[in-house]
């Protein structure tokens, strides 16, 4: 049992050592290396190796742009001609009339400029008078009182 734990822990330690010692070596294969100055990196273009020629990269980029798979900024927006909106089939006068009717019926609101629309609905309340509520509070049992206080407390 002890041998397995030692073996497992040694495997974990070995994996951690390989990761810690191997990662800086992999980073040095890049063409950007960390620098101890304000720049932060030193670029070595001679370390960069590409499998494609410049013409191949340009051709792939143009093909991707033509297929709509590549976009940068707003320089190529929109691609093609925009399609006109089909609309709802209603005239402007019909839409304005529907909007005015909806506003008068209180079905349309925007911002705070027309709040509240119509008359506010009165609160239905509990249906009890003030005297009935006071009598209930005075006649409640200690358990009911504790439950009510716990319910309305902040804790």
């Amino acid at each position: 049992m002890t041998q397995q734990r030692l073996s497992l822990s040694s495997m974990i330690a070995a994996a951690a050592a390989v990761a810690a010692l191997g990662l800086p070596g992999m980073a040095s294969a890049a063409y950007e290396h960390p620098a101890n100055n304000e720049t932060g990196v030193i670029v070595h273009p001679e370390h960069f190796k590409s499998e494609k020629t410049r013409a191949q990269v340009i051709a792939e980029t143009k093909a991707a742009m033509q297929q709509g798979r590549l976009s940068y900024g707003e320089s190529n927006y929109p691609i093609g001609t925009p399609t006109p909106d089909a609309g709802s089939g209603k005239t402007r006068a019909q839409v304005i009339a529907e909007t005015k009717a909806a506003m008068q019926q209180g079905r349309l609101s925007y911002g705070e400029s027309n709040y509240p629309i119509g008359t506010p609905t009165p609160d239905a309340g509990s249906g009890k008078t003030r005297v009935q509520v006071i009598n209930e509070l005075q006649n409640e049992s200690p358990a009911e009182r504790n439950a009510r206080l716990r319910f309305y407390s902040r804790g």
Side-chain angles (χ1 to χ4, degrees), residues 13-116:
V18 167
L21 297 174
L23 289 177
M26 284 187 256
S28 66
Y31 75 108
E32 292 180 349
H33 303 287
N36 293 328
N37 58 23
E38 291 180 5
T39 309
V41 294
I42 299 173
V43 178
H44 297 280
E46 64 273 7
H47 292 188
F48 180 75
K49 293 182 179 137
S50 177
E51 314 241 332
K52 297 180 183 178
T53 65
R54 180 173 174 83
Q56 288 173 325
V57 172
I58 291 172
E60 287 179 5
T61 305
K62 286 181 181 178
M65 287 179 68
Q66 288 173 351
Q67 295 169 1
R69 294 184 294 124
L70 181 66
S71 175
Y72 54 93
E74 297 175 0
S75 62
N76 60 346
Y77 178 81
I79 297 174
T81 57
T83 56
D85 187 17
S88 64
K90 297 179 181 177
T91 64
R92 180 175 172 82
Q94 288 173 328
V95 172
I96 291 172
E98 287 179 5
T99 305
K100 286 182 181 178
M103 287 178 69
Q104 289 173 353
Q105 295 168 3
R107 295 184 295 127
L108 182 65
S109 175
Y110 52 92
E112 297 176 2
S113 62
N114 60 348
Y115 178 83

Side-chain angles (χ1 to χ4, degrees), residues 1-2 12 23 26 47 55 64 70 81 94 105 109 130 133 136-137 147 150-151:
M1 189 81 166
T2 307
I12 293 172
L23 289 177
M26 284 187 256
H47 292 188
L70 181 66
T81 57
Q94 288 173 328
Q105 295 168 3
S109 175
R130 181 177 176 85
V133 173
E136 283 182 8
L137 291 174
R150 270 186 279 125
F151 181 75

